[in-house]
Amino acid sequence: MTKREIKISKFLSYVLRHHPESIGITLDRNGWTSVTDILNNSKLEFSIEELKQVVEINDKNRFSLNDNLSLIKANQGHSVKIELEFQEIVPPDILYHGTAKHFLESIQKTGLLKGNRHHVHLSKNVQTASNVGKRHGKLVILTIDTKKMHEDGYKFYLSDNQIYLVDFVPPNYLSINEN
């Protein structure tokens, strides 16, 4: 991504996941908003073509456009209240979570908490978990025994961009990935 595309992507994350009111837009109950409203209310001027490009090339597939390009949403990671309509799924036996080493002691005591987001985000592979976790400091990869969690009644969901979601991961299902 170019610097401009990164700037547009960060702007979209900010308004679609956390602060739509910052540019005077509203999200519907599922997180969708008008592309026209985004383009008209943004202080960062960009075209529909640039918007489409950012949605298409975003390495984490953070955003979706509807078929006629009139609506846009963030796929997950919201701190604003919306109704995510994810279908419950059976997760793979093991999933991963990347975090910073300075969070490890707390995580080992309390587990993985969703904080102000709707869910804890888990990855199917170590590389994706690494990309997420390394943003916050010295990287630690956690392995989650999702087979056992699911057997114990925890519900899992899969976002449009293939991120696994769960409300909470208790510490007894976590181990440090030594690879």
Side-chain angles (χ1 to χ4, degrees):
M1 287 181 96
T2 66
K3 286 183 180 183
R4 177 154 174 80
E5 290 164 343
I6 290 169
K7 191 172 186 175
I8 293 168
S9 179
K10 287 183 177 190
F11 164 77
L12 292 172
S13 287
Y14 181 79
V15 299
L16 295 175
R17 294 167 66 186
H18 308 296
H19 297 285
E21 76 285 352
S22 68
I23 64 165
I25 63 169
T26 56
L27 305 179
D28 75 10
R29 67 185 199 83
N30 301 123
W32 292 96
T33 194
S34 163
V35 168
T36 301
D37 288 349
I38 290 279
L39 295 173
N40 290 343
N41 293 309
S42 172
K43 292 180 179 140
L44 175 66
E45 293 183 18
F46 54 93
S47 67
I48 184 71
E49 289 77 20
E50 288 176 298
L51 179 68
K52 286 180 359 189
Q53 175 75 3
V54 167
V55 170
E56 288 172 13
I57 66 170
N58 187 279
D59 62 339
K60 295 180 183 171
N61 296 312
R62 288 191 169 149
F63 316 106
S64 291
L65 288 162
N66 68 345
D67 290 339
N68 68 4
L69 307 179
S70 64
L71 299 173
I72 187 169
K73 72 172 183 169
N75 288 324
Q76 95 281 324
H78 300 83
S79 61
V80 296
K81 185 170 175 52
I82 63 166
E83 294 178 31
L84 300 169
E85 294 183 336
F86 298 125
Q87 297 293 319
E88 186 176 342
I89 53 105
V90 175
D93 291 352
I94 294 173
L95 290 171
Y96 303 95
H97 182 82
T99 191
K101 187 174 183 175
H102 63 271
F103 296 134
L104 192 55
E105 185 177 337
S106 173
I107 290 170
Q108 289 175 317
K109 289 179 185 173
T110 63
L112 291 172
L113 308 173
K114 62 184 175 180
N116 65 352
R117 294 188 179 195
H118 290 260
H119 297 95
V120 174
H121 297 185
L122 304 174
S123 304
K124 191 171 184 173
N125 60 62
V126 171
Q127 183 59 50
T128 302
S130 297
N131 291 342
V132 173
K134 69 184 176 185
R135 298 178 306 175
H136 304 291
K138 185 167 171 46
L139 178 65
V140 174
I141 299 293
L142 301 172
T143 300
I144 296 92
D145 185 351
T146 46
K147 179 180 181 183
K148 179 72 172 136
M149 282 184 70
H150 187 258
E151 288 170 354
D152 291 347
Y154 289 87
K155 294 180 180 180
F156 289 84
Y157 308 92
L158 186 63
S159 71
D160 293 344
N161 60 342
Q162 306 302 298
I163 299 297
Y164 290 84
L165 308 169
V166 66
D167 285 334
F168 168 64
V169 179
N172 55 306
Y173 298 100
L174 299 169
S175 61
I176 297 172
N177 185 311
E178 300 295 338
N179 294 334

